[in-house]
Amino acid sequence: MTKRWLASFWLLAILLPWQAQALIIEITGGSEAALPIAIVPFGSEGFSAPEDISAVIQNDLSRSGRFAPLPEGDLISSPHEKSEINFKDWRLLRSEGLLVGKVSSVDGETYQVQFQLFDVYKGQQLVGKRYQVAASGLRRLAHQISDQVYQALTGEIGVFSTRLAFVSVMDNVDGSKRYTLQVSDSDGANPRTVLQSKQPILSPNWASDGERLAYVSFENGKAEVFVQEMRSGRRNSVAAFKGLNSAPAWSPDGKKLALTLSKAGNPEIYVLELASGKLSRVTHNSQAIDTEAVWMPNSRELLFTSDRGGRPQIYRVSADGGRAKRVTFEGRYNASPDISSDGQTLAMVHGLNGRFYIAVQDLDSSAVLVLTETGRDESPSFAPNGRMILYATEENGHGELAGVSVDGRIHQRLGESDRDVREPAWSPIRK
Amino acid sequence: MIDNILAGSYSLLLHAVLLGLFIIGMDSSSKPHFVAPQKVDIVQATVMDEVQVLEEMMRLQEIEDKKLQEEKERQTKVDEKLEETQKELARKEQEFLDQQERAKIEQQQRDIKAQQEQDKIKQLEQKRKLEDDKRIKAEQARKLEEDRTRKAEKARKLEEDRKQKAEKDRLHAEKLKQEADKERRAAEEKQRLAEADRKAEEQRKRDAERKARQAEEDEKMRLAKIEKDRKKAEALKKKKEADAREAEAKRLMQESLEAEFAKEAQEREATRVAGIVDIVVLQIKQKVKRNWNRSGATTSGLEVTLHVKLMPGGDVKQVSVIRSSGNAIFDRSAETAVYKAAPLPQPKDPKAAAELRDFQFVFKPE
């Protein structure tokens, strides 16, 4: 024992100086480039799956800007489970992650899907799951798998299985316009029309349950606020007061709506309690327009746009009313606020030299970062994980949906249609 | 005491003599015999010098005369004393008579008469006694003469004895002297012998000492020789040692010189190796950096330390997180960077390569 101890001591004594002068190489910087990932097309045993799951996933990850999926042509083999993987080969391809999986048909309508994500350099599985799903759910499942891959490799919550709501405007042959309220997958694909009107539709806003949408419709000749249930399609007018009824925003608990009403003559912020219909006024500034309210995650405060200072700026006020406090000071125009789920980052339309950009402001430091470059950007809406901001921009003479990461590095375009789309709203994560 | 007794006896004897004389006196008048059978001592006389004897006799006569004279005087005194005593008695009797009854004076007178008579008897008695004494005295004188003769004889004998004794003593002394001489001579002889012994002993001692000294001397010599030999050997040994030391010193110097050279060479080599290592470290750094994609992790301020072991050729043998950033994605991005950068640049120089087999990476965004 003692001998052994002594031996360890000497060993230590010998090793210590070495340890002390051990070579230490410091690596700073590093890239924040997209993470290379190999997504092997999922195997499907002798049948053609109604949805190309791996393609959906690849598109999701690629569109996020955080991943760089290898081109399919570069893939050197097509393994579908671990036993078929030779990690050395995949290392040669420099891919850090490797996603494999397969789809099999249980019966005509039900499919079994399994996937595995590997750390190529360690040769370890990071995540792997198996599902049974109906054919109609395959695409949605693909988005869910994307979410899991995203989370496994970035540590953040994926938002690929969320949805987007937006307004599409089409010109009829007779010159009139057709407004539709649409809901799509987060990639803009698979759009479904939930409301169609000859009159303008504005400001869709998701309730936190992801099941209800509030929006403004002029279908009755004036701006009214409606709440529509997604599954049933049932809709109600919740605010049809005299004057303007606009800019609905759900409280985090989904029980109230903040609204802009001009029933008292001047647009002011109100809070409507949906169950009781009780309405309470928040702002009292007859000289200025107060609008575009949004709830802070704490449910106690609202952010809104007001020109009470002469130019539109963003203010913060208690949901119970009281004195509003200006939040934005950078630039002469800041409007259309949205707030990240952690209550830390404010997204807004930032006006500069007659052009409008999407910008973010840190609420603690008040530092502003402009994210976009086109100069015709509006209606920012945070992704539920706070990493991306969805907004509307104008391209080729019509509105388009776009996304940008909160650090401004990743930009994405959503949808390929030539439709004129505007007023996007990113849904919450469905619980 | 004895004197007193003698005196008493003597006095009593005198009284007895007087009484005897008294009686004799009375008897002589009547019976002039009184021949007491006497036993005559036969004096063993020796022939003496006549003159001497005469002188002696004369001297004895004188003594006798004197004695008689003295006896007479004493007798007188005795008589006087007797008278005195009687007078005293009479006086006392008178006094007694006076004091006692006058009426009995007659009786007394009678008594006195009887007393007187009695006294007369007494006187007679005394007279006889005196005569007895005289006779006794004569007897005594004779006896004295005999004694004297005896004494003279005795003295002569004594003288003879003395002479004999003196002779004897002389002889004895002579003998003693001879014996003493003999003893002295014996003693002297003994002493002489003792002296001789002593001398012999001394001689022996001297011899022994001399021998001892000699032996000591020899031992000293021997030791001295040994010491000398030892010193010689030691000197030799010292010299050998000194030589060895010198040789060692030379060797050490040589070695140290060689070591110096080796060290210099080593340092040159180390510098050379360090130079190579520096370059390769830069190459490694750049390669790992190129391969580090931390896009997965969004949090800034992270830092992870990895321990990396390489195989010869730069392939990654092992990567382990020794201090995590706390963010698994960030940690993994660093690990992946190392793996992706493999094979890491390695120098051709084996020493430099050896230094780049095992090291640490610290990954931090800024």
Side-chain angles (χ1 to χ4, degrees), chain A residues 253-406:
Chain A
D253 64 3
K255 290 177 178 168
K256 296 174 207 168
L257 280 175
L259 302 167
T260 297
L261 306 178
S262 65
K263 66 185 184 85
N266 193 57
E268 302 285 352
I269 307 295
Y270 290 79
V271 169
L272 173 67
E273 206 174 272
L274 289 171
S276 64
K278 186 185 155 200
L279 192 66
S280 55
R281 183 166 167 178
V282 176
T283 61
H284 303 270
N285 195 326
S286 54
Q287 305 301 311
I289 295 169
D290 296 332
T291 185
E292 301 178 327
V294 61
W295 293 80
M296 290 290 285
N298 65 17
S299 302
R300 293 192 302 268
E301 291 171 302
L302 299 170
L303 295 172
F304 66 96
T305 305
S306 174
D307 64 353
R308 60 182 68 186
R311 292 271 175 180
Q313 295 291 347
I314 294 166
Y315 294 78
R316 183 194 286 219
V317 70
S318 168
D320 299 329
R323 189 179 168 82
K325 202 175 161 191
R326 185 168 165 180
V327 174
T328 55
F329 295 92
E330 192 85 22
R332 300 178 68 195
Y333 182 98
N334 291 291
S336 303
D338 194 17
I339 188 77
S340 64
S341 54
D342 62 2
Q344 189 64 41
T345 309
L346 166 69
M348 60 197 178
V349 174
H350 179 68
L352 189 66
N353 301 325
R355 298 175 77 85
F356 300 96
Y357 306 92
I358 303 301
V360 286
Q361 177 175 326
D362 186 276
L363 282 188
D364 283 345
S365 69
S366 296
V368 171
L369 179 66
V370 177
L371 305 178
T372 60
E373 287 170 354
T374 51
R376 300 177 291 275
D377 307 324
E378 56 171 41
S379 304
S381 172
F382 267 108
N385 67 358
R387 283 287 295 175
M388 295 289 292
I389 294 166
L390 180 68
Y391 65 98
T393 186
E394 194 182 307
E395 193 81 18
N396 305 321
H398 64 266
E400 286 193 351
L401 298 185
V404 64
S405 65
V406 284

Side-chain angles (χ1 to χ4, degrees), chain A residues 105 122 144 168 179 218 223 225 241 302 310 326 362:
Chain A
S105 175
K122 287 187 175 172
Q144 286 174 359
S168 172
Y179 298 87
F218 283 79
V225 175
F241 299 102
L302 299 170
R326 185 168 165 180
D362 186 276

Side-chain angles (χ1 to χ4, degrees), chain B residues 155-186:
Chain B
R156 192 186 55 78
K157 268 190 177 169
L158 278 167
E159 181 61 18
E160 207 165 319
D161 286 352
R162 194 188 56 77
K163 277 180 183 166
Q164 278 173 1
K165 192 171 177 289
E167 182 60 18
K168 200 178 167 187
D169 285 354
R170 194 188 58 78
L171 287 172
H172 184 66
E174 186 77 9
K175 196 182 171 192
L176 280 174
K177 189 175 173 282
Q178 280 171 4
E179 278 174 2
D181 281 355
K182 197 178 168 188
E183 275 175 16
R184 185 179 52 77
R185 273 196 305 277

Side-chain angles (χ1 to χ4, degrees), chain B residues 124-326:
Chain B
L124 285 171
E125 186 74 16
Q126 276 175 345
K127 205 174 169 184
R128 195 189 49 87
K129 236 180 184 175
L130 277 168
E131 280 177 359
D132 277 357
D133 285 352
K134 258 184 196 164
R135 197 181 39 80
I136 289 162
K137 245 177 196 167
E139 184 66 16
Q140 278 177 336
R142 194 187 52 80
K143 274 184 182 173
L144 279 168
E145 181 56 28
E146 282 173 6
D147 285 350
R148 191 191 57 81
T149 312
R150 240 182 356 257
K151 272 176 184 170
E153 182 64 13
K154 201 176 173 183
R156 192 186 55 78
K157 268 190 177 169
L158 278 167
E159 181 61 18
E160 207 165 319
D161 286 352
R162 194 188 56 77
K163 277 180 183 166
Q164 278 173 1
K165 192 171 177 289
E167 182 60 18
K168 200 178 167 187
D169 285 354
R170 194 188 58 78
L171 287 172
H172 184 66
E174 186 77 9
K175 196 182 171 192
L176 280 174
K177 189 175 173 282
Q178 280 171 4
E179 278 174 2
D181 281 355
K182 197 178 168 188
E183 275 175 16
R184 185 179 52 77
R185 273 196 305 277
E188 274 171 7
E189 180 62 16
K190 201 176 169 190
Q191 197 177 352
R192 196 185 57 75
L193 285 170
E195 182 71 9
D197 283 356
R198 191 183 58 79
K199 277 184 179 164
E201 177 68 14
E202 273 175 10
Q203 183 62 34
R204 197 182 55 73
K205 272 187 185 165
R206 270 198 303 278
D207 288 353
E209 275 171 16
R210 192 171 47 74
K211 270 186 188 164
R213 268 201 306 280
Q214 186 62 41
E216 205 174 326
E217 204 73 12
D218 290 353
E219 181 64 12
K220 266 186 191 164
M221 294 267 283
R222 195 180 65 79
L223 288 174
K225 190 173 177 300
I226 289 169
E227 179 66 10
K228 200 176 159 193
D229 290 352
R230 193 185 61 75
K231 278 186 175 161
K232 208 168 155 188
E234 197 169 329
L236 201 69
K237 194 180 158 212
K238 274 185 180 163
K239 191 177 176 300
K240 272 185 185 168
E241 281 173 357
D243 290 352
R245 270 201 302 278
E246 200 178 332
E248 176 68 6
K250 270 186 188 165
R251 195 182 61 75
L252 283 175
M253 205 163 88
Q254 187 63 30
E255 269 182 13
S256 100
L257 272 173
E258 280 167 14
E260 194 97 350
F261 287 134
K263 198 180 160 199
E264 274 175 26
Q266 212 176 340
E267 278 168 3
R268 275 199 307 278
E269 179 67 3
T271 310
R272 186 183 67 79
V273 170
I276 296 169
V277 168
D278 283 351
I279 292 167
V280 177
V281 163
L282 266 177
Q283 293 170 345
I284 290 173
K285 249 178 150 165
Q286 290 184 0
K287 193 168 186 193
V288 173
K289 200 169 167 178
R290 276 199 304 274
N291 283 282
W292 183 24
N293 188 340
R294 56 186 176 83
S295 71
T298 53
T299 319
S300 59
L302 299 177
E303 184 176 316
V304 63
T305 304
L306 305 181
H307 181 210
V308 177
K309 287 182 183 170
L310 299 182
M311 290 188 283
D315 275 324
V316 176
K317 189 176 177 183
Q318 191 193 325
V319 179
S320 50
V321 176
I322 57 175
R323 198 166 54 246
S324 170
S325 67

